[in-house]
Structures are given as C-alpha cells and as structure tokens.
Amino acid sequence: MKKFFILMIAMMVCGMSYAQQAIFQGRGVTSPEINADKTVTFRVRAPKAITVQVTGDCIEGRTADMTEKDGVWEYTTPAPVAPEMYTYNFIIDGQRTLDMNNVAVNRDVASLTNILLVTEPGARSDLYAVHDVPHGTVSRIWYHSDYEGINRRMTVYTPAGYETSGKRYPVFYLLHGIGGDEEAWITQGRTAQVLDNLIAQSKAQPMIVVMTNGNIAMEAAPLETSTGYNVPSMGLPKTMEGSFETAFPEIVKFIDKTYRTIPQKRSRAIAGLSMGGFHSKFISQNNPDMFNYIGLFSAAIGVTDANISPIYQDNDKKLATLFSKKPALYWIGIGNEDFLFKNNTDYRKFLDEHGYKYTYMETGGGHIWRNWRIYLTEFVPLLFK
Amino acid sequence: MKKFFILMIAMMVCGMSYAQQAIFQGRGVTSPEINADKTVTFRVRAPKAITVQVTGDCIEGRTADMTEKDGVWEYTTPAPVAPEMYTYNFIIDGQRTLDMNNVAVNRDVASLTNILLVTEPGARSDLYAVHDVPHGTVSRIWYHSDYEGINRRMTVYTPAGYETSGKRYPVFYLLHGIGGDEEAWITQGRTAQVLDNLIAQSKAQPMIVVMTNGNIAMEAAPLETSTGYNVPSMGLPKTMEGSFETAFPEIVKFIDKTYRTIPQKRSRAIAGLSMGGFHSKFISQNNPDMFNYIGLFSAAIGVTDANISPIYQDNDKKLATLFSKKPALYWIGIGNEDFLFKNNTDYRKFLDEHGYKYTYMETGGGHIWRNWRIYLTEFVPLLFK
C-alpha cells in the first residue's frame, strides 16, 4: 500500500504541466472565504508588496485596501455580501491580477477576473448554482455561414433528456453584447444553470437555447479560431452595421436542420443584452413571422444610423407589421442607472403611442451582468406557454 | 454617426463586469510575443516589483529572471522556441501569478497557468491549432451513474457532420490522469483540434471521443458540481480502488444509448494517461470483449494492491483471455525519463515473455502533457482501420 500511495503522489505532482508545483498545493491561503455571517474574506500572499487592494462589484466603493500580516494580505467585507454572482481582481502595487487560489476565472473578451458566487436557498442567485437536478447538454458546434463565407462557432444548450426523448423542442436565441462572444451567456450569464434549475422547478418549458457569436466577421471566441490566439482589437469589424441581422435567418435554418426543433414562429424566442438587444430588435422586426417572443435586455436602442444598412430602414412600418402579427411577448428590461435608460424610455413612449403591447421590467443598477442574469430568469419562464 | 460610436464605446466599457476597466484595455503590453526569429518575449508591467521571473516548460532551466525597463519586465528566450504547446507563469516577488495580457489560461485542477502555443506548418503542434477545416462538436453531457448514485459529467467530441449524417460511428474512450477531470483532454490535450485536423487530413477515421471524469466520487470538474466551487482535496476519494473500472460498462451503455455508435468491440477503443492508462489496462482486461484498441500512455502500471478490488485480481488469467481474443491494437507509450519507465519496461517484458503483441513508442521526457499529446496524435490514426 505504501508504494501505491507514494506513486500516487508522484503522479499528482508530475502530472502537472511542470513539476515545481503540486496540483493540489500552491493554495497557501483560502480565498475567497464566505464566512458564517455571510461576510466574505479575500486573501493573497504577497510579502513584498507595498499596497494590495481588492476590486470588484462585491466591494463597497468598488475597491478596498487590504491589510498585511505575516505576508498575507486580507480584507473582510464590513457587511454580509448579498447572494449574487460577482467578479473581482486583486491590485498588487497598482497592477491588476488574479486570485490564484480561486480557480473560478472569467474571461470577458481580453479581461480576466475571478468569480465569487454567493448563494442562499430561495435567493435568485441560487438559480446560478449547479444543483442536483437533471442537467442539459452544452455543446460548442460550428456552422458554415454562407453569408460570410466562414465557419462560425456557437454554443447550444439542449435540455436534459434531449438526446433520447425523440421530442421536438422550442428554440430560444440568446445574444450577447458588443464585448462578448458565444461563451458570454454560458460563463457570465449562467444560462445552463438557470435553465436546468427553472426546468427542474417546472418554472420553464424544456427548450433549446442557441448562443451565437454576434461579431459576424469572427469565427469564434478568442483562442478558438483559425486566426490564432489573438483577441479582437478595438475596431470590431462588421458589428452593428446590419450584416449579423441580415445573415441571421441562416442560423435559424441551421438550427432547424440540425436539432429536433419546432420550426415555427410560435416556438421561437429571441433576446439579447445591449448590442444583442439591438440585434434582437432588428432581427425580429425584419422577420415578423420568425419570433413569437422578443426580449430586449438593456438594449442599445436609438443608436442606429439608418444609412448603414436596409436592415435599419423603414422601422415604423416594420414595427407596425410585427405588432399586427401579435407576438406573444415583447419584453423590455433596463436598469434605471443604465446610460441607455433614456433611449429605452423614449422607445417605450413610442410603443405606447402606437398601442404596441410590451412587458416592462425596471431594475436598479446600470449596464451590468447582474441585471442581464435577472432579466434571463424573468424572461425564460414566460416562453412557450 | 458620432453619437453611434460614442454609445458603442460606452457599451464596451460598461459592458464589463465593472466599469473601471475597458474590455479592450488593460493590455498595456504585448505578452507573449512570438518574434520573427521564433524566439519568444514575455512581458509584464510591475513597476514596484523587486524580482520578476518567468517559469514554464518553454524556459531553458525552467525559470528565468526578467529585466525591468520603465516598469515593464521582459524576458526573451535566447533561442527559438520549438513548435509545441507550453504553459507558464510569472513569479513576482516570489509569488506565482498569471500573465494578465494572455487570456489563454489553463486550469489543471487547482492550478492556473497561461498557455503558449507555438506552431509551424508540418510540425506536430500544428495539429493542436484550430484550422479552417470542418469542426466537430464538443459537448458537456451528464449521465446518471447507477453504480455511484450521482449525476456525472463527461465531455464528448462528435466528428464534423455527426448531427445530420445519419451514420453510426466508432467510439474512443479517452481517460485523464489522477489530477485531471473531464476537461483535461480538451484543454491540455487539444483533443478536439487533433481530431478535427487528423480527420480533415484523412489520417484518422471520423469517431466519437468520450472523455470521462475518472474520479468516480466526483460529479464533475471543479466549479461544475452541486457541491459548490470547491476543488478536490489531496485525498481524492475512490480513486484507483476499483470503483471507476467496475462501473465503466455503465458509461459504455450510456454512450451506446445516447449516440449513434457502432456498439461492437471492433469499433471501440480505450486509452488514458497515467491513472487513465491504469484504468484502461484494467477496464480492458476485465472486459475482454469490449475494446479492440487499447492504449496505455505513461500508464501507472505496477502500482496496484490486488486486495483493494477484484478488478485487480487474476491479472495473468485475464490478460491471457484478453490476448487470446486478439485485440487489433495494444499500444504502449512512455517517456524514457518518466518515473514509471521501469514499471512499463517490466510490463513489456512480461508481455514479451507471453508472446502478447503490442506496439511500443518510446519518447524523451517524463510524465508530461507534451508526451500525452504526442501519443494521442500517434494512437488515433491507428484506430478503426
């Protein structure tokens, strides 16, 4: 037995990419730690640092100074941290870095942050956690864009049991914002967990969720493309200039061909955050027979130059047609601190004046993922009733 | 147009998890940079640091001191870096950290490293890159383990065209080492890219690849389980004590039920690295009619205590039965610096003495991912001929 365990440990240590660091070590300190009183303690070993801070949306005032003892810097929140999913970084001597003791790392385009998930039974954020319920499948699948002439990647959630049920399912197209890619709704949006949990609680219909990459000139998320390990530059080409919206029907066609869908308007939904809300608005009003459920999450409304593309023209007429066909749901959600709040208010005024029915949810906060997760959990239960 | 671009930039900045950092910024320096002469330069901004090093398998001597100029520390390899996939960290004032300018981050259980992929047409590592070829689908799918009484996650690669071809495919079960989980072969092993590229080059048959989680008491990789954001502790329960091997047929049953497989020995392969090689050895010899192709990659051979489980007993008899049924391939790969080299040499001697046929590949190096990727690229073309 002794020989067995020695070899086991050797395998653990040597199994690493390089041998200096044991895979179960390097965790000198525990961070973050959710304490019994629901405060959170962050820790980082940095004996030679002069200043260390923690910054994130779980920190009152965004950034807090940490204090050092025996080379370990520590900060405990003064008050309990409300159940929510947060992201944070450490700032060591002015340089933003990760908490190496927390392997929950989030990539948002070219930025890396750690994730802190605080849950509590009954809290909304409990929907963001993995529970012991039937789990759907999350697939990264590629399609050929005839419009763009390239292979493109998307993320598809199929509900638990899809593979063997033989049934057909409705489809929810869920679009990311201008910075994101086909990973955004899965990582920061917790879509797989939200769907698993809502379906398990019988609060949502089993459905397929399609998370596209909205930057049509890109094949896929950084690291996943044939153009190498690059990240997109500031000038995202072909974004919000009509191409993605124009090409969108080829995605619907691909999904209907590839999955057991109910290929009808009554069983299709589309929603998106920020640029994705903008996309959802124009895709739906340019294809009035395609979607029965439309969701605009902090949507980039009123930012369009109609000259860029025919997709952005004749909007009044297109909206009149869309609403004459009575979509089951036109849903708008926005935070009252969002810089797009006024644009959304103006748009609602327009809808009101024309008697176009919609459902509205106003939250606190601004243009942030917390709101987009909230809107997802509110929108999904309304679909495919 | 002006208003449009101002809003676009506002969306990019605010779309971040928190607003201080623009998603396209924070990339003050470029790192790593592969230079024209194939040397690699690493850079990190740390104006107040006293010592900064870069450590990784791409660095001669493992660790090198970086030099500072204007607050940016830099190190350029003295020689070209051979095409390969590498991992590295920075060590700032003694503390291991990530290169925040490189979003290619690898998690190996509880350790975070950056990835550096150096490719060159014709080099083996070119198989590890995404190319403009048809891509398979990579799915995270859950099954219920009746043996363990829990839901468990696996990663499944289905070849390009699987969804609509109507065809049945052979299945290759690919198992990780003691530290890994169902993500290991996808991230560090580059299995999706290797399969995509070998199939596109007609060097491998289209096949399904099933990457299980070999720690049977675990539902899934860290972060993906109902037990929370924890990482496994040093004492991995129920590892190499017979449970995983005993329960393995339920995985084969699930796959044959869930995917369009060719559910026969002639169309099944199993291989694994280290503990996964150990698993592959015992699963195959305990189920002599299940696999026609067996691969032991740096396998943990000769570490078993037979008293732990009946799975580890009567080995000579079981091997005799296995080889009497003439598997199409029994493949052994090991690095001549591996601490398991002697154990594998002894095992080959045993096979030779009994006239059991096998294919052998000896590489340089030790118990490292470079070797396991090499073995994968050598093994896969031999399957299902």
Side-chain angles (χ1 to χ4, degrees):
Chain A
M1 277 302 273
K2 200 176 161 192
K3 181 184 161 200
F4 171 66
F5 282 113
I6 289 167
L7 276 166
M8 228 168 113
I9 290 164
M11 281 193 287
M12 289 189 198
V13 176
C14 299
M16 268 296 292
S17 5
Y18 37 104
Q20 296 98 319
Q21 182 187 25
I23 45 177
F24 293 96
Q25 290 165 2
R27 306 198 91 222
V29 296
T30 299
S31 180
E33 184 170 7
I34 301 174
N35 304 304
D37 62 359
K38 299 286 177 188
T39 61
V40 175
T41 301
F42 301 88
R43 295 185 186 91
V44 56
R45 182 179 301 279
K48 294 185 184 164
I50 301 156
T51 61
V52 180
Q53 297 165 299
V54 54
T55 182
D57 51 3
C58 45
I59 306 295
E60 189 76 29
R62 288 284 183 214
T63 300
D65 292 329
M66 303 176 80
T67 53
E68 186 258 340
K69 194 186 163 187
D70 300 331
V72 175
W73 297 75
E74 191 174 294
Y75 174 77
T76 300
T77 60
V81 172
E84 185 48 69
M85 184 169 140
Y86 303 97
T87 55
Y88 70 96
N89 283 120
F90 291 138
I91 303 175
I92 301 181
D93 289 340
Q95 303 306 309
R96 190 177 286 262
T97 186
L98 284 180
D99 182 349
M100 294 291 281
N101 291 301
N102 178 4
V103 292
V105 173
N106 181 56
R107 177 192 59 78
D108 191 6
V109 189
S111 287
L112 300 171
T113 51
N114 288 102
I115 292 172
L116 166 67
L117 178 59
V118 181
T119 60
E120 171 179 297
R124 190 188 300 263
S125 70
D126 206 33
L127 292 172
Y128 312 155
V130 177
H131 290 287
D132 185 16
V133 298
H135 298 296
T137 299
V138 177
S139 301
R140 273 74 177 183
I141 184 169
W142 294 72
Y143 74 104
H144 184 78
S145 169
D146 292 336
Y147 180 91
E148 196 65 16
I150 56 175
N151 292 320
R152 305 190 71 242
R153 191 176 181 254
M154 59 174 81
T155 302
V156 176
Y157 169 91
T158 45
Y162 171 87
E163 286 81 4
T164 50
S165 74
K167 287 184 193 163
R168 292 186 165 270
Y169 295 86
V171 184
F172 172 26
Y173 294 85
L174 182 55
L175 314 183
H176 63 78
I178 201 165
D181 51 53
E182 74 274 20
E183 295 290 320
W185 272 110
I186 280 293
T187 53
Q188 297 187 277
R190 303 296 286 174
T191 300
Q193 290 75 30
V194 168
L195 269 287
D196 280 356
N197 291 323
L198 288 175
I199 293 170
Q201 296 169 20
S202 301
K203 289 182 181 158
Q205 299 294 322
M207 65 183 81
I208 298 167
V209 185
V210 175
M211 290 153 277
T212 53
N213 185 316
N215 308 302
I216 197 167
M218 288 172 60
E219 293 172 21
L223 319 181
E224 302 290 346
T225 88
S226 69
T227 55
Y229 263 29
N230 57 337
V231 294
S233 65
M234 188 69 181
L236 275 175
K238 303 188 89 170
T239 300
M240 298 174 77
E241 42 68 273
S243 294
F244 182 71
E245 301 93 322
T246 304
F248 202 82
E250 73 180 11
I251 290 176
V252 175
K253 199 174 156 193
F254 170 78
I255 292 294
D256 283 339
K257 193 185 71 186
T258 307
Y259 291 90
R260 291 195 317 276
T261 66
I262 305 170
Q264 293 166 7
K265 176 187 173 182
R266 70 175 164 89
S267 298
R268 278 198 208 104
I270 189 167
L273 75 90
S274 193
M275 176 181 82
F278 170 99
H279 283 155
S280 298
K281 179 182 185 317
F282 287 103
I283 292 167
S284 60
Q285 69 199 39
N286 278 280
N287 300 279
D289 296 315
M290 201 170 270
F291 301 99
N292 205 20
Y293 303 84
I294 297 145
L296 313 185
F297 303 171
S298 314
I301 286 175
V303 305
T304 331
D305 186 331
N307 293 324
I308 301 177
S309 166
I311 281 286
Y312 305 138
Q313 292 164 8
D314 302 321
N315 292 317
D316 292 4
K317 207 174 125 195
K318 286 173 183 170
L319 270 179
T321 304
L322 180 74
F323 279 98
S324 75
K325 291 169 183 267
K326 299 195 186 315
L329 181 67
Y330 199 88
W331 195 97
I332 296 174
I334 185 97
N336 54 27
E337 296 170 40
D338 196 311
F339 69 97
L340 290 164
F341 184 72
K342 185 182 176 303
N343 294 26
N344 275 262
T345 305
D346 292 347
Y347 184 56
R348 288 197 298 118
K349 208 172 290 170
F350 172 87
L351 296 176
D352 289 336
E353 284 165 7
H354 289 77
Y356 299 153
K357 278 189 192 155
Y358 61 91
T359 301
Y360 180 57
M361 181 181 200
E362 190 172 310
T363 52
H367 208 65
I368 54 176
W369 268 104
R370 187 183 69 202
N371 276 339
W372 303 327
R373 285 186 295 265
I374 291 173
Y375 304 155
L376 180 69
T377 63
E378 294 287 327
F379 186 70
V380 163
L382 305 175
L383 303 179
F384 315 125
K385 295 268 180 170
Chain B
M1 276 305 270
K2 200 176 161 192
K3 182 182 162 202
F4 171 67
F5 281 113
I6 290 169
L7 278 165
M8 228 169 113
I9 289 164
M11 281 192 288
M12 289 190 199
V13 177
C14 299
M16 269 296 291
S17 6
Y18 37 104
Q20 295 97 317
Q21 182 188 26
I23 44 177
F24 291 96
Q25 291 165 1
R27 306 199 91 224
V29 297
T30 299
S31 179
E33 185 170 8
I34 301 173
N35 304 305
D37 61 0
K38 299 286 178 189
T39 61
V40 175
T41 301
F42 300 88
R43 295 185 186 92
V44 56
R45 183 179 299 280
K48 294 184 184 165
I50 301 155
T51 61
V52 180
Q53 297 164 300
V54 55
T55 181
D57 51 2
C58 44
I59 305 296
E60 189 77 28
R62 287 286 183 213
T63 300
D65 293 328
M66 303 176 78
T67 53
E68 187 258 339
K69 195 186 163 188
D70 301 332
V72 175
W73 297 75
E74 192 174 294
Y75 174 78
T76 300
T77 59
V81 173
E84 185 47 70
M85 183 168 140
Y86 303 97
T87 56
Y88 70 96
N89 283 121
F90 291 137
I91 302 175
I92 301 182
D93 288 340
Q95 304 306 308
R96 191 177 285 262
T97 187
L98 285 179
D99 182 349
M100 294 291 281
N101 291 302
N102 178 3
V103 293
V105 173
N106 182 55
R107 177 192 59 77
D108 191 5
V109 190
S111 288
L112 300 171
T113 50
N114 288 102
I115 293 172
L116 166 68
L117 179 60
V118 181
T119 59
E120 173 178 297
R124 190 188 299 262
S125 70
D126 206 34
L127 292 172
Y128 312 154
V130 178
H131 290 286
D132 185 16
V133 299
H135 298 297
T137 299
V138 177
S139 302
R140 273 73 178 184
I141 184 169
W142 294 72
Y143 75 103
H144 184 78
S145 169
D146 292 335
Y147 180 91
E148 196 66 15
I150 57 175
N151 292 318
R152 305 191 71 243
R153 191 175 180 254
M154 58 175 79
T155 302
V156 176
Y157 169 92
T158 45
Y162 171 87
E163 286 81 4
T164 50
S165 75
K167 286 184 195 162
R168 292 187 165 271
Y169 295 86
V171 184
F172 172 27
Y173 294 84
L174 182 56
L175 313 183
H176 63 77
I178 202 166
D181 50 55
E182 75 275 20
E183 296 291 321
W185 272 110
I186 281 293
T187 52
Q188 296 186 279
R190 304 296 286 178
T191 300
Q193 290 75 31
V194 167
L195 268 287
D196 279 356
N197 292 324
L198 287 176
I199 293 169
Q201 295 169 20
S202 300
K203 289 183 181 159
Q205 298 295 321
M207 66 184 80
I208 297 168
V209 185
V210 175
M211 290 153 276
T212 53
N213 184 315
N215 307 301
I216 198 168
M218 288 173 61
E219 294 172 20
L223 318 181
E224 302 289 347
T225 89
S226 69
T227 55
Y229 262 28
N230 57 337
V231 295
S233 66
M234 189 69 181
L236 275 175
K238 304 187 87 169
T239 301
M240 298 174 76
E241 43 67 274
S243 295
F244 181 72
E245 301 91 323
T246 303
F248 201 82
E250 72 179 12
I251 291 176
V252 175
K253 200 174 155 192
F254 169 78
I255 292 295
D256 282 338
K257 194 185 71 185
T258 306
Y259 292 90
R260 291 194 318 275
T261 66
I262 304 169
Q264 292 167 11
K265 175 185 173 183
R266 70 176 163 90
S267 298
R268 279 199 207 103
I270 188 166
L273 75 91
S274 193
M275 175 181 81
F278 170 98
H279 284 155
S280 298
K281 177 181 186 320
F282 287 102
I283 292 167
S284 61
Q285 69 199 40
N286 278 278
N287 299 278
D289 296 315
M290 201 171 269
F291 301 99
N292 205 19
Y293 302 84
I294 297 146
L296 313 185
F297 302 172
S298 312
I301 287 174
V303 305
T304 331
D305 184 332
N307 293 324
I308 301 177
S309 166
I311 282 286
Y312 305 139
Q313 291 165 8
D314 302 321
N315 292 317
D316 291 3
K317 208 174 122 193
K318 286 174 183 170
L319 269 179
T321 304
L322 180 75
F323 279 98
S324 76
K325 292 171 181 263
K326 301 196 187 310
L329 181 68
Y330 200 89
W331 196 95
I332 295 173
I334 185 97
N336 55 27
E337 296 170 40
D338 196 310
F339 69 97
L340 290 164
F341 183 73
K342 185 182 177 304
N343 294 24
N344 275 261
T345 306
D346 292 345
Y347 185 55
R348 288 198 298 119
K349 208 171 292 170
F350 172 88
L351 296 176
D352 289 336
E353 283 164 10
H354 288 78
Y356 299 154
K357 278 190 193 156
Y358 60 91
T359 302
Y360 179 58
M361 180 182 201
E362 189 172 310
T363 54
H367 208 65
I368 52 174
W369 268 103
R370 187 184 69 203
N371 276 340
W372 303 327
R373 285 186 295 265
I374 291 172
Y375 304 155
L376 180 69
T377 63
E378 294 288 327
F379 186 71
V380 163
L382 305 176
L383 302 180
F384 316 125
K385 294 270 181 171

